[in-house]
């Protein structure tokens, strides 16, 4: 059995944090100087672990096992939000490195093939899932030219400045890769609230995002009597409040919905707003639930427009993201390993956040594992996880990877 080395694992995580460290957290956005340095560090770590490591055309750092396949692919991301935690993504990358080493160091597993990676720009500094989409052949040259960061620099130019554009793009190899595995911190507080130490992910939620535009009539806030008003602002608040109640009645156990933005125009104290806009998003692991929410929203808009002086129209804020189901057989290997190392201390759960794994799920069997986040905090310098949980998760994931590979070798 592979035996992970918790001290080496934690030392590597702390060493990676030094690139962009900010207190307990990290600032390491994609293709910034510290991100490039950290990729070079990771490349050398992978080589030292005996992997054939390289950086590809979009900056993916990939360590390929010299063993013949079938191989498992395991990874996550090492880029961060503008103000990120030290474990978000980084933990899954260093787990993969440690598990590759542990498999090599154990005589009975050194023949198994684990290919590992840090995927570029999961946090969408330029655009979403750059590394995984490129690896799956879903990122075009136009995508690279049109995606820009907050400073207006295109992804294509940033890759060129980094010198990555001269490298070959690495690609998923379905002759070799039999599955994709990713470990991640939960970034929520479900495991902590349930006193569980391992989460076995069942699905990554689908997302529907909309812009709702309310059109009334802009007018003087002192002289326009209440019966004569067509107040787009009040209409928005009433609509949002009633919709919240209606959604409660049809929600499934894991459905979440958010009005993340609301604006009134022209936005002045003495003006009845003529236009108001809100951004509405809902998420669920089941597409049927998302359809139910979308239908309820449509009904709401119809009856609102029939009855009120203010009219509401709706457009997608971005293309819907479909839920990504995790492979049941791979999940079972994680469950078995969790039960061995933490009996009764694990649970199945959906992921409310997006992850690289959702891209892989449409190409090959895919699974994810979570470990607890203290108080559920993430995308923050305060993000943290108990060291004992970090070590336990890595051993569980190592066992799961080994048993998956053994089962495929027959
Ligand atoms: Zn992440």
């Amino acid at each position: 059995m592979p035996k992970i080395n918790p001290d080496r694992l934690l030392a590597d995580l702390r060493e990676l944090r030094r690139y962009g460290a900010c207190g307990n957290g990290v600032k390491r956005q994609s293709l910034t100087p510290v991100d490039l340095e950290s990729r070079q560090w990771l490349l050398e770590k992978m080589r030292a672990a005996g992997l054939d490591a390289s950086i590809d055309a979009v900056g993916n750092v990939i360590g390929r096992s010299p063993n013949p396949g079938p191989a498992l692919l395991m990874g996550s991301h090492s880029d961060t939000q503008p103000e990120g935690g030290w474990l978000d993504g980084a933990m899954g990358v260093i787990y993969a490195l440690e598990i590759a080493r542990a498999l090599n160091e154990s005589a009975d597993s050194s023949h198994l093939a684990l290919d590992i990676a840090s995927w570029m720009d999961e946090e969408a500094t330029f655009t979403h899932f750059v590394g995984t989409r490129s690896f799956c052949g879903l990122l075009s040259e136009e995508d690279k030219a049109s995606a820009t960061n907050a400073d207006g620099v295109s992804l294509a130019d940033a890759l060129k400045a980094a010198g990555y554009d001269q490298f070959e793009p690495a690609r998923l190899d379905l002759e070799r890769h039999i599955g994709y595995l990713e470990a991640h911190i939960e970034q929520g507080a479900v495991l902590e609230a349930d006193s569980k130490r391992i989460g076995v992910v069942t699905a990554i939620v689908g997302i529907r995002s909309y812009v709702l535009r309310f059109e009334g009539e802009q007018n003087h806030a002192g002289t326009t009597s209440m019966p004569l008003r067509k107040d787009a602002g009040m209409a928005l608040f009433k609509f949002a409040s009633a919709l919240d109640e209606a959604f409660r009645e049809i929600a499934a156990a894991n459905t979440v919905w958010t009005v993340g933005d609301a604006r009134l125009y022209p936005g002045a104290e003495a003006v009845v707003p003529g236009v108001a806009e809100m951004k509405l998003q809902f998420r669920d692991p089941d597409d049927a639930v998302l359809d139910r929410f979308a239908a309820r929203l449509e009904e709401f808009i119809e009856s609102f427009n029939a009855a009120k002086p203010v009219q509401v129209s709706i457009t997608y804020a971005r293309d819907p993201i479909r839920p990504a189901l995790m492979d049941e057989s791979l999940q079972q290997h994680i469950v078995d390993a969790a039960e061995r190392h933490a009996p009764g201390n694990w649970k199945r759960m959906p992921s409310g956040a997006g992850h690289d794994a959702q891209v892989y799920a449409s190409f090959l069997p895919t699974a994810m594992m979570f470990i607890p986040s203290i108080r559920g905090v993430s995308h923050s310098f305060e993000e943290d996880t108990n060291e004992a949980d970090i070590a336990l998760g890595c051993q569980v994931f190592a066992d799961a990877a080994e048993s998956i590979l053994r089962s495929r070798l027959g």
Side-chain angles (χ1 to χ4, degrees), residues 182-197:
E182 180 167 356
H184 207 281
I185 51 165
E186 183 199 336
Q187 303 179 282
V190 170
L191 290 172
E192 192 178 73
D194 263 14
S195 301
K196 303 290 188 203
R197 299 181 70 191

Side-chain angles (χ1 to χ4, degrees), residues 127-190:
T127 181
H128 60 285
F129 303 130
V130 168
T132 38
R133 286 199 291 150
S134 170
F135 199 70
C136 294
L138 301 175
L139 189 78
S140 67
E141 292 303 317
E142 287 112 74
D143 292 333
K144 289 189 215 169
S146 63
T148 54
N149 66 10
D151 297 328
V153 178
S154 76
L155 174 61
D157 286 344
L159 290 170
K160 198 167 181 189
Y164 293 160
D165 64 321
Q166 61 186 309
F167 301 140
E168 288 296 309
R171 289 279 190 260
L172 181 64
D173 176 0
L174 291 173
E175 304 272 291
R176 174 176 173 83
H177 296 130
I178 54 165
Y180 176 73
L181 290 184
E182 180 167 356
H184 207 281
I185 51 165
E186 183 199 336
Q187 303 179 282
V190 170

Side-chain angles (χ1 to χ4, degrees), residues 9 31 72 120 179 184 213 305 337 382:
L9 167 70
L31 296 169
L72 261 180
M120 175 58 79
H184 207 281
R213 182 179 168 88
N305 283 342
E382 304 304 310

Side-chain angles (χ1 to χ4, degrees), residues 238-249 257 259 293 300:
K238 285 181 186 166
F239 186 98
S241 169
L243 188 69
D244 182 46
E245 294 299 323
F247 277 175
R248 270 168 218 283
E249 285 163 20
W257 57 95
V259 175
F293 265 58
F300 238 76

Side-chain angles (χ1 to χ4, degrees), residues 11 70 99 115 131 140 192 244 258 294 313 369:
I99 292 168
D115 294 352
S140 67
E192 192 178 73
D244 182 46
T258 307
S313 57
M369 187 194 80

